[in-house]
Amino acid sequence: MATRLDLPRIRSCPRAWCQIWLLLSILCSLPVYAVGEETTDITKVSEIERAESVVSNNIAEPEADIVELPTQSSEPEPTPSPVTVSESTNNAQIETTPTPQKDNDIRQRIEGIFSEIDGLQAVNVGVAQGVVTLTGETPNEKKAQQAINLTNRLTDVVTVSDQIDRTLDVQDNVTTVYQGLKVQAKNLVKALPLLLVGIILFILVSWFGSWLSNRKRMWQRLTPNPFVAELLSQTVKVIFIIFGLILALSLIGAETILSTLLGGAGVIGIAVGFAVKDTIENYIASLMLSIRQPFRARDHIVINGQEGIVVRLTSRATILMTLDGNQLRIPNSEVFKGTILNYTKNPERRFTFELGVDANDDPLAAIKVGLDAIHCLAFVLDEPKAIAVISNVGDSNIVLEFQVWVDQSETDFSKARSIAIRETKHALEDEGFSLPEPIYRLRFNRDLEKAFEHMQSSHLNDTSNVTVTPTVSETTTNGNSSTIDNKDKKQAKARAKLILQDDNASDVLSARSDDKLMKKVEQEIAERSDETDLLNNNSPQE
C-alpha cells in the first residue's frame, strides 16, 4: 500500500520532504529495537544518505506528479551479514567496497615511489580491486623484490602479482654495484679520521693489557703456582684486548659488528670445542696437576704401568725418562685419571724373593740361616727388619719367601735383590740345605721294559730312541747322584771365587745406585724448552 503526496508542495519545500522521509525511516526501525536488535551509526548514516539521494532524484524529475513511498512494513528489514576479513600479503584488511578512485590513487602512489628509485623506473603498475600487478623490467632479482616489498607496504593493497622481467643486464648491474662501491668509498674516506682514532685506542688498551700480563713477579706473588699465574696473566691480556675492541667499535659506531663477531665466535667456539675436546681435557688436567703436584721432578714413578723418572710437567703432557734411557710423554688427561705409584715419596722399599728347600729339611732352620746371611749385607735396613715366611709346600720342596727392606735413594733396587738372592742361596747350601729341582718318578713293569728293549734293537736309526737302563738299587742311585752333585757344587764355588776375585768384579758385588740415568735426567731438566714446567718445589704437594 502506498501513500500519495502532492509533488508541487514538496518541490516548494524540499526540507520538509527530508524531514518526512527521516521520520518514516525512524518509524520503520522501531520494530527492530522492539525485538532487541542493535543498529549502528553506520546504518543510520546510510539511511540518511539514501533518503537524500531519493530527494535529489525526485527534484531532478519534475514531470512525475505522484511518488509512491514505501509504507512501514510489519517485518523488520534484514541487517547485512558481517563481511569476512582476510589477510593479504602485507597483512592489511581488505575493504568491502573498493572504488575505482582508490585503485587509481594506489597506482599513482606506487608509480611516484618507483620513479624516485634507481632500477624501478621501468616497472609498470596496474591496479584492479586492490590487486596490484607489476610488469616491466628490473636489472636483477634484488630490485624486483624491492618493488614487491614497497608495494606491499601500502595499506590498501590486497596482494601483489609479480610479472616483472629480470633482464640481468650487465651494464645495469655493474653500474649499480659501481655506484654502491663509490658511495661506500666516500663514506670510508669521511670516516678515516674516526677510524684512525679507534685503531689507536685499541692499540693503546691492548698494549697496556700485554704490559700488565708480562708482570710475572706480580702474578707469582698472587699465586705460587706458575701455571695458575700464567693463566691469570693470559686472561687479563685477553680481557684488555676485548675491552679495547669494544671501545674502538663504539667510537666508530659499529656495535652491530661486535654483536655479529660475538655470535659468530660463539658458534665457532662450540664447533671448535667438539673438535679439540681432547686438547681442552689435557689443558684442564694440566691445571689440576699443577695445583695438586702429585710428584716432583726426579721422582721415580709408575703411571698406568709406565715406569720412569719425572723430567717435567707441561701444559699438554708429563715427560718421563724411562729406565731404558728413553723419553716418554704421557697425556695429562691420562695422568690425572690414572694410577700413580711414586717410589721416591717413601725411600724405604721392600723386595721379595722365594727359595725352596728339600721337603726333609726343617724350614724354620732354613729361614734362620737365610736371614743371618741377609742381615750381613750392608745395604739391608735394620728397621724395618727383614723377615721370611713359609710360602707353600710343593711336591718335592718347601718354598720360603724372604722380605727385605732397602733405602732406594742410596741402593739400586734390582742389584740389591740380586745380591740378596745369591747370598741366601749360598748360605743355605753351605749349611747342608739342598735346593731340589722337581723330581718325577716313572715305574715300569718287566714286560714293558722288554718291549722297550725290543723297540731299541729294531729302531737303531730312529732319532727318538729311548734307552732304558734298569735301576739296580734306588739307594745306590741316590748315593751316586748326591756324590756327583756335591762334586759339581764344589767345582762351581771354586770357579765363582776365582772369577769374583778379579778387580772388575766390584761393580757386580756393589748395590750402589747407577748415576748414569740420573745424569741423563739432569741434562733433560737443564735443557731449555718452549713449554713452561708446571712443577714447582715451592707449591704445596698433596
Side-chain angles (χ1 to χ4, degrees):
M1 181 177 180
T3 304
R4 304 181 64 86
L5 298 177
D6 192 1
L7 287 177
R9 292 183 181 180
I10 294 176
R11 289 193 184 98
S12 62
C13 188
R15 188 173 181 179
W17 165 251
C18 293
Q19 292 177 354
I20 294 172
W21 182 254
L22 179 60
L23 180 60
L24 292 175
S25 300
I26 294 172
L27 292 176
C28 293
S29 62
L30 286 178
V32 177
Y33 285 104
V35 295
E37 295 183 357
E38 298 179 355
T39 56
T40 62
D41 294 337
I42 298 176
T43 307
K44 294 180 181 179
V45 173
S46 61
E47 293 291 342
I48 295 173
E49 290 178 351
R50 190 186 308 169
E52 290 179 351
S53 62
V54 172
V55 172
S56 60
N57 291 335
N58 290 333
I59 294 174
E61 297 176 356
E63 63 276 6
D65 294 335
I66 298 174
V67 178
E68 292 185 358
L69 297 178
T71 58
Q72 181 177 351
S73 176
S74 60
E75 296 181 359
E77 295 182 358
T79 56
S81 60
V83 179
T84 303
V85 179
S86 62
E87 292 185 358
S88 63
T89 55
N90 60 354
N91 298 326
Q93 292 184 344
I94 302 175
E95 292 187 353
T96 307
T97 56
T99 59
Q101 181 63 34
K102 188 166 294 186
D103 291 342
N104 188 36
D105 293 340
I106 294 173
R107 180 181 57 77
Q108 292 179 358
R109 179 58 175 161
I110 296 174
E111 289 177 349
I113 295 173
F114 288 176
S115 63
E116 299 297 329
I117 300 176
D118 293 336
L120 301 183
Q121 290 87 351
V123 177
N124 300 322
V125 182
V127 184
Q129 298 293 323
V131 178
V132 180
T133 302
L134 300 180
T135 58
E137 298 177 349
T138 56
N140 49 45
E141 179 65 25
K142 183 178 180 181
K143 286 296 180 180
Q145 290 298 326
Q146 184 181 10
I148 295 172
N149 294 334
L150 289 173
T151 304
N152 276 322
R153 292 177 61 182
L154 269 71
T155 56
D156 296 329
V157 173
V158 176
T159 187
V160 179
S161 176
D162 180 13
Q163 299 181 11
I164 302 174
D165 184 18
R166 283 75 165 172
T167 60
L168 301 178
D169 185 67
V170 176
Q171 182 177 358
D172 293 341
N173 286 278
V174 171
T175 303
T176 304
V177 174
Y178 172 74
Q179 293 295 334
L181 293 176
K182 187 176 180 181
V183 172
Q184 292 179 2
K186 290 181 179 179
N187 294 333
L188 180 62
V189 171
K190 293 179 182 179
L192 279 179
L194 192 61
L195 183 61
L196 183 61
V197 174
I199 293 174
I200 294 174
L201 181 61
F202 173 72
I203 293 174
L204 289 176
V205 175
S206 300
W207 174 83
F208 180 76
S210 179
W211 177 84
L212 189 63
S213 175
N214 292 330
R215 304 301 95 190
K216 296 183 179 180
R217 292 184 178 179
M218 180 184 68
W219 300 114
Q220 290 176 358
R221 289 177 182 177
L222 292 176
T223 172
N225 189 290
F227 185 65
V228 176
E230 183 180 0
L231 181 62
L232 287 176
S233 63
Q234 295 299 324
T235 302
V236 170
K237 183 178 180 180
V238 172
I239 289 175
F240 272 89
I241 291 175
I242 295 176
F243 181 67
L245 183 62
I246 293 174
L247 288 180
L249 293 176
S250 300
L251 184 63
I252 63 177
E255 293 87 349
T256 55
I257 297 178
L258 180 62
S259 61
T260 303
L261 290 176
L262 292 178
V267 176
I268 295 174
I270 294 174
V272 172
F274 282 105
V276 296
K277 62 178 182 179
D278 293 337
T279 303
I280 297 175
E281 185 180 6
N282 284 330
Y283 191 82
I284 296 175
S286 303
L287 176 62
M288 299 302 298
L289 289 174
S290 65
I291 295 174
R292 297 172 59 183
Q293 298 280 324
F295 43 78
R296 303 286 194 189
R298 305 174 186 85
D299 282 0
H300 184 189
I301 64 174
V302 180
I303 302 175
N304 293 336
Q306 303 289 339
E307 185 175 2
I309 310 297
V310 178
V311 176
R312 66 173 57 90
L313 173 65
T314 66
S315 59
R316 291 188 293 271
T318 299
I319 302 175
L320 303 180
M321 177 70 69
T322 64
L323 302 183
D324 300 331
N326 299 319
Q327 189 183 83
L328 176 64
R329 299 176 66 92
I330 305 177
N332 285 333
S333 59
E334 296 183 8
V335 176
F336 182 72
K337 295 184 294 185
T339 302
I340 302 175
L341 176 60
N342 194 333
Y343 290 127
T344 310
K345 190 76 172 178
N346 183 9
E348 297 175 352
R349 185 177 176 185
R350 189 188 73 175
F351 63 82
T352 62
F353 62 91
E354 294 181 348
L355 288 176
V357 296
D358 191 86
N360 297 321
D361 294 331
D362 188 350
L364 294 181
I367 287 175
K368 184 179 183 306
V369 172
L371 290 179
D372 290 341
I374 290 173
H375 288 149
C376 293
L377 299 175
F379 54 80
V380 176
L381 297 179
D382 296 331
E383 190 65 32
K385 193 175 181 179
I387 63 172
V389 295
I390 300 174
S391 177
N392 59 73
V393 177
D395 295 336
S396 59
N397 62 353
I398 300 175
V399 181
L400 307 179
E401 180 180 339
F402 293 87
Q403 302 173 0
V404 186
W405 290 86
V406 295
D407 186 354
Q408 60 181 348
S409 62
E410 299 177 356
T411 305
D412 187 279
F413 185 80
S414 300
K415 289 182 178 180
R417 185 175 183 274
S418 175
I419 294 173
I421 293 174
R422 172 184 178 273
E423 295 298 328
T424 305
K425 173 181 176 295
H426 287 340
L428 291 174
E429 290 176 343
D430 292 341
E431 293 295 332
F433 293 94
S434 60
L435 307 179
E437 297 177 354
I439 299 174
Y440 300 95
R441 294 182 179 180
L442 302 178
R443 297 182 180 273
F444 304 102
N445 56 29
R446 189 61 183 171
D447 295 336
L448 188 59
E449 290 179 358
K450 288 182 179 181
F452 277 122
E453 291 176 358
H454 179 71
M455 291 174 60
Q456 184 178 7
S457 61
S458 60
H459 299 284
L460 295 177
N461 297 326
D462 193 353
T463 58
S464 60
N465 291 335
V466 179
T467 303
V468 179
T469 302
T471 58
V472 177
S473 173
E474 185 177 352
T475 304
T476 305
T477 304
N478 292 337
N480 294 335
S481 176
S482 177
T483 303
I484 294 172
D485 289 342
N486 292 332
K487 184 178 180 180
D488 292 340
K489 288 179 181 179
K490 289 180 180 180
Q491 292 178 354
K493 287 181 180 181
R495 183 171 58 252
K497 185 177 180 180
L498 179 63
I499 295 173
L500 293 177
Q501 286 178 353
D502 192 356
D503 295 337
N504 297 328
S506 59
D507 293 338
V508 179
L509 299 174
S510 176
R512 293 192 305 269
S513 298
D514 190 1
D515 58 351
K516 294 181 180 179
L517 183 62
M518 292 306 299
K519 287 182 180 179
K520 293 191 66 175
V521 173
E522 293 295 339
Q523 291 177 359
E524 289 284 342
I525 294 175
E527 289 181 358
R528 291 186 178 181
S529 176
D530 297 336
E531 298 174 315
T532 304
D533 189 2
L534 306 182
L535 297 175
N536 187 6
N537 293 330
N538 297 326
S539 300
Q541 189 175 15
E542 64 175 7

